[in-house]
């Protein structure tokens, strides 16, 4: 019955079903290894012939609960818990790409993702081709060739707050038989499920809304399980024997991508989430639906306040009727667009600094999307490594302030913003 429940119920119930006498909440299995008295059973685990746990570098019972929970929330067939959101994106790319391949990605993405694609992956011979998320499909299509392994975008771009046009990108990917990968961190499955709109794989930084309390670093990959890898010439690595598993062919398996990602890349990188962080994230995710409702309502009030303030040049928040992405938000995120927004202060970076330094409730942090409100000036922090041209590509203006609205009282937050703006 749980599989057919609504998202609010899945937040509380999915991932863990205790047996008689077991802990009602998932236990922390803080162990690197696991005992087997049956030698063949252990050998079968190493050959991927059966499910189970033999070493926490590949899989762990506590992490497994969170993996099942997030997969259920997203409507996927399996989850893979990673050490961070960045490792989730890296493992996804390494599972799909080899030297000589390329990826096609929106330029309006998180700064760390931009750096991974533009600076690090090219060192492994993987080219990144960037497009404006608002560009017409014909322009984006020119970047796709027979070496393209996936198209990447964010549901709600951080910090440009661009809402993804799923239909446009999904149609292109289906036309060319290319995987469509979406970072759903800022929307969460409570507000949007990318697999329902044509995505094939979803990634998360679970350190954000998923855990909510900013206490646990982590990431998640969710395999939608519907992409056709079998005899697919674009993905030969899935159709040739893996000699490290006695000739196993991943495309022959019910879950091709998820198995290859864990069996090869997680095995060789060890970038798995820790049991303690998985446990903390499980506890936080229980209240995800409740928190997202409050984040949305608070942010809507604050965006309306900022839009009318004389010292604010512009506000990007798609739930505002005046926002250019409002129609897309209504289509793909009808429950709300989350607690993230960006706005431009009339003035320069120094004016932004004066504003942020005088805030008394919201704090300056290299973080977003937990219960506490926080602000950041991306051009001088998270996107500092980008050139001026790249900042423009990513939608980062010099006067842009990123605001992550928490679950405090909305009136208190508005009063705090108002008094801080008096110093600009």
């Amino acid at each position: 019955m749980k599989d057919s429940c609504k998202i609010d119920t899945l937040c509380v119930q999915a991932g863990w079903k205790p047996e008689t006498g077991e802990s009602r909440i998932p236990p922390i299995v803080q162990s690197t290894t696991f005992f087997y008295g049956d030698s063949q059973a252990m050998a079968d685990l190493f050959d991927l012939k059966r499910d189970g746990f033999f070493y926490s570098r590949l899989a762990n019972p506590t992490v497994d609960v969170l993996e099942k929970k997030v997969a259920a929330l997203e409507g996927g067939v399996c989850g893979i818990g990673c050490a961070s959101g960045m490792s989730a994106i890296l493992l996804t790319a390494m599972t799909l790409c080899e030297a000589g391949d390329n990826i096609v990605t929106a330029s309006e993405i998180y700064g760390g993702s931009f750096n991974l694609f533009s600076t690090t992956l090219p060192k492994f011979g993987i080219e990144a081709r960037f497009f404006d998320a608002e560009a017409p499909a014909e322009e984006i299509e020119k970047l796709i060739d027979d070496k393209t392994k996936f198209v990447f975008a964010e549901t709600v771009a951080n910090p440009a707050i661009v809402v993804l046009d799923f239909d446009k990108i999904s149609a292109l990917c289906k036309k060319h038989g290319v995987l469509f990968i979406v970072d759903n961190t800022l929307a969460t499955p409570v507000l949007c499920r990318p697999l329902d709109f044509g995505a094939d794989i979803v990634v998360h930084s679970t350190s954000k809304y998923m855990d909510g309390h900013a206490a646990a670093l982590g990431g998640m990959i969710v395999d939608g399980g519907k992409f056709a890898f079998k005899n697919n010439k674009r993905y030969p690595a899935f159709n040739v024997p893996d000699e490290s598993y006695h000739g196993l062919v991943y495309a022959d398996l019910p879950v091709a991508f998820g198995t290859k990602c864990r069996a090869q890349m997680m095995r060789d990188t060890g970038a798995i989430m820790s049991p303690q962080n998985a446990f903390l994230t499980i506890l936080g995710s229980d209240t995800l639906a409740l928190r997202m409702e409050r984040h949305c309502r608070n942010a809507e009030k604050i965006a309306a306040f900022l839009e009318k303030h004389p010292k604010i040049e512009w506000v990007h928040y798609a739930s505002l009727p005046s926002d250019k992405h409002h129609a897309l938000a209504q289509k793909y995120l009808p429950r709300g667009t989350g607690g993230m927004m960006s706005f431009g202060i009339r003035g320069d970076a120094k004016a932004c600094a004066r504003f942020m330094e005088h805030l008394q409730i919201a704090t300056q942090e290299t973080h977003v999307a937990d219960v506490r409100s926080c602000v950041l000036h991306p051009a001088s922090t998270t996107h500092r490594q980008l050139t001026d041209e790249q900042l423009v590509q990513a939608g980062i203006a010099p006067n842009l302030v990123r605001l992550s609205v928490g679950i405090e009282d909305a009136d208190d937050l508005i009063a705090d913003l108002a008094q801080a703006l008096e110093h600009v």
Side-chain angles (χ1 to χ4, degrees), residues 201-386:
I201 296 168
V202 179
V203 295
H204 283 273
S205 168
T206 59
S207 318
K208 309 303 189 295
Y209 286 126
M210 195 68 70
D211 93 351
H213 38 57
L217 194 64
M220 187 66 65
I221 305 167
V222 176
D223 183 356
K226 295 181 180 179
F227 190 82
F229 286 101
K230 184 69 174 175
N231 298 322
N232 191 325
K233 294 181 179 180
R234 187 180 289 277
Y235 301 95
F238 284 79
N239 290 280
V240 297
D242 181 354
E243 297 307 326
S244 66
Y245 286 104
H246 305 295
L248 178 71
V249 177
Y250 293 104
D252 292 339
L253 303 178
V255 182
F257 171 83
T259 304
K260 188 176 190 290
C261 184
R262 188 187 300 279
Q264 282 190 334
M265 295 306 145
M266 189 64 80
R267 174 196 67 191
D268 294 343
T269 64
I272 195 168
M273 186 184 294
S274 74
Q276 180 72 38
N277 283 354
F279 176 76
L280 292 172
T281 306
I282 291 164
L283 296 185
S285 63
D286 288 346
T287 59
L288 178 62
L290 287 173
R291 288 186 286 103
M292 292 312 297
E293 182 178 353
R294 181 62 174 262
H295 283 296
C296 291
R297 301 297 85 80
N298 276 0
E300 288 163 6
K301 293 178 182 177
I302 288 169
F305 160 76
L306 290 172
E307 187 178 39
K308 296 176 182 178
H309 199 285
K311 293 184 179 180
I312 300 299
E313 186 176 340
W314 47 265
V315 179
H316 290 164
Y317 187 65
S319 290
L320 284 173
S322 60
D323 191 275
K324 63 180 179 179
H325 298 110
H326 184 67
L328 288 175
Q330 294 290 99
K331 181 177 182 179
Y332 300 118
L333 298 101
R335 294 182 64 167
T337 54
M340 279 285 298
M341 68 181 67
S342 62
F343 55 90
I345 290 180
R346 296 189 184 279
D348 54 15
K350 291 182 179 179
C352 296
R354 282 195 295 273
F355 162 74
M356 294 188 296
E357 289 165 1
H358 282 89
L359 288 167
Q360 297 174 9
I361 297 177
T363 54
Q364 289 192 67
E365 298 177 26
T366 310
H367 199 258
V368 294
D370 64 60
V371 295
R372 303 163 194 83
S373 295
C374 60
V375 294
L376 199 68
H377 183 248
S380 61
T381 54
T382 55
H383 292 66
R384 191 180 186 90
Q385 294 84 1
L386 274 60

Side-chain angles (χ1 to χ4, degrees), residues 29-36 42 46 53-57 59-61:
V29 182
Q30 193 67 47
S31 179
T32 60
T33 191
F34 304 87
F35 167 76
Y36 285 87
M42 195 167 188
F46 275 86
F53 307 97
F54 56 89
Y55 198 56
S56 281
R57 194 180 78 224
N60 171 278

